[in-house]
Amino acid sequence: MITQHTDVTTYLDDKRRLVEQALETYLPPADTLPPTLHEAMRYSTFAGGKRLRPVMLLMTAELFERDCRDMAFAAAALEIVHTYSLIHDDLPAMDNDDLRRGRPTNHKVYGEAMAILAGDALLTLAFQIMTDPTHLAHFDPVAIIHATRELALAAGSTGMAGGQALDMQAEQRQISVEELETIHRYKTGKMIAAAMRMGAFLAEARPEDLYAVTRYGELVGLAFQIVDDILDLEGSAETLGKNPASDLQRQKATYPSLHGVAQSKKYVEQLIKDAIQALHVFGERAYYLMQLADYMRSRTY
């Protein structure tokens, strides 16, 4: 039972450093042949960012009283898949963004062809990491299979890739609230829920506990995307690290466009409340995950 807590910011920073170390371990050096490809892979992977998904995976490890350092490989794989998706989403054929995390997007630096290859290579690297036999020293092979499958499902046609497809098809047309929520759950929510589920599978959590963390991840994931929609209207390029109002320019449906900013913020509050409630079964062990959910509603980037 946890009886004393460090500052939440310090706690999250410690987890981010562990993620950074794992990424450095698994990303090939920039001078590895072919060097331009590896430079492009590292350029986007080490461009900064919140590292939300891998941090949540490490937090789940600690929720189930496992050493989060043992799960750093899975956290790195998850972040690498997320990075691949950002590179491809920014391409002219998709969102056509010039700025990401305060820097020119990958295709602006390395060209479209190399950006596509960097994304492809990152996606492949993630599953190379997940299936490295050395992990068998700490985890049951069935647990690794479950966690690896979870990552694949969250990234695929019924997850993130499917969400991007639905999002592109919804541009410049009226869609329902239900359609918008499906886009958000696929495009953002499933990868965030996967962070929790991967950690739970590797920790060999009970089915009822897996359900609780999945519920939390789904609710936090939806809240995260709605806040993103709000920040796209209210934020600046300096704080967001990308061009604001991009959704508006592409005539994309968002929660603020359908409900208004005030109602969208109210919905976020309810989602966060429900997410925290889902963790009550864990008691004090869920303290930091509850604090993370609370952070979602007040973040500025």
Side-chain angles (χ1 to χ4, degrees):
M1 181 70 69
I2 299 172
T3 57
Q4 187 174 356
H5 304 291
T6 60
D7 174 71
V8 173
T9 302
T10 302
Y11 175 88
L12 294 175
D13 285 344
D14 287 344
K15 295 293 175 287
R16 289 190 192 99
R17 278 192 290 272
L18 185 55
V19 172
E20 297 294 336
Q21 290 168 5
L23 290 170
E24 190 60 62
T25 296
Y26 291 110
L27 263 290
D31 59 358
T32 304
L33 191 69
T36 305
L37 176 60
H38 290 107
E39 286 174 18
M41 292 166 66
R42 295 178 67 89
Y43 176 83
S44 292
T45 302
F46 293 107
K50 293 174 285 294
R51 307 300 194 197
L52 172 67
R53 293 154 190 80
V55 165
M56 289 178 69
L57 191 154
L58 297 180
M59 294 171 77
T60 306
E62 293 192 337
L63 177 71
F64 293 110
E65 300 178 319
R66 292 292 299 263
D67 189 336
C68 65
R69 291 171 295 184
D70 291 340
M71 292 194 196
F73 76 95
L78 182 62
E79 183 67 5
I80 285 168
V81 171
H82 176 57
T83 303
Y84 123 79
S85 75
L86 298 181
I87 294 173
H88 282 193
D89 285 0
D90 288 337
L91 289 166
M94 294 205 204
D95 291 348
N96 194 24
D97 282 322
D98 297 340
L99 197 65
R100 170 72 67 177
R101 294 173 174 169
R103 303 200 303 176
T105 47
N106 197 290
H107 68 274
K108 284 293 180 181
V109 178
Y110 296 97
E112 291 179 40
M114 194 60 67
I116 292 169
L117 290 171
D120 292 344
L122 286 168
L123 178 61
T124 308
L125 175 61
F127 291 97
Q128 177 184 329
I129 293 167
M130 288 299 298
T131 55
D132 189 323
T134 60
H135 306 320
L136 296 175
H138 298 285
F139 299 98
D140 185 285
V142 174
I144 294 174
I145 289 171
H146 277 303
T148 304
R149 182 173 185 270
E150 200 62 41
L151 180 58
L153 287 170
S157 62
T158 57
M160 181 174 59
Q164 177 70 358
L166 292 171
D167 195 24
M168 292 171 62
Q169 291 172 338
E171 288 184 14
Q172 301 182 20
R173 70 178 179 90
Q174 292 290 327
I175 65 171
S176 67
V177 174
E178 291 75 21
E179 287 178 288
L180 179 60
E181 188 158 312
T182 298
I183 291 170
H184 282 353
R185 289 190 185 280
Y186 273 48
K187 187 175 179 180
T188 305
K190 291 205 174 186
M191 282 289 286
I192 289 178
M196 306 295 296
R197 290 176 62 83
M198 289 172 70
F201 276 125
L202 289 171
E204 300 180 53
R206 300 176 304 171
E208 58 268 34
D209 291 339
L210 177 64
Y211 173 82
V213 298
T214 300
R215 174 73 174 156
Y216 170 87
E218 290 172 344
L219 292 165
V220 164
L222 184 54
F224 181 89
Q225 184 58 57
I226 296 172
V227 172
D228 251 13
D229 288 352
I230 295 168
L231 291 175
D232 191 66
L233 292 176
E234 297 185 338
S236 65
E238 290 74 25
T239 56
L240 298 178
K242 59 184 179 180
N243 295 318
S246 57
D247 291 341
L248 190 63
Q249 292 164 8
R250 289 194 296 270
Q251 299 180 46
K252 292 175 68 170
T254 65
Y255 271 87
S257 70
L258 294 180
H259 291 297
V261 172
Q263 188 64 30
S264 297
K265 289 181 177 179
K266 186 175 180 181
Y267 188 29
V268 168
E269 292 288 336
Q270 185 60 52
L271 289 168
I272 296 303
K273 180 180 177 182
D274 292 345
I276 292 172
Q277 179 64 39
L279 295 180
H280 280 179
V281 293
F282 300 110
E284 190 73 7
R285 284 188 292 144
Y287 172 80
Y288 288 114
L289 282 166
M290 292 180 181
Q291 292 296 308
L292 181 66
D294 195 55
Y295 153 79
M296 293 293 182
R297 70 179 119 209
S298 59
R299 68 185 180 90
T300 57
Y301 69 97

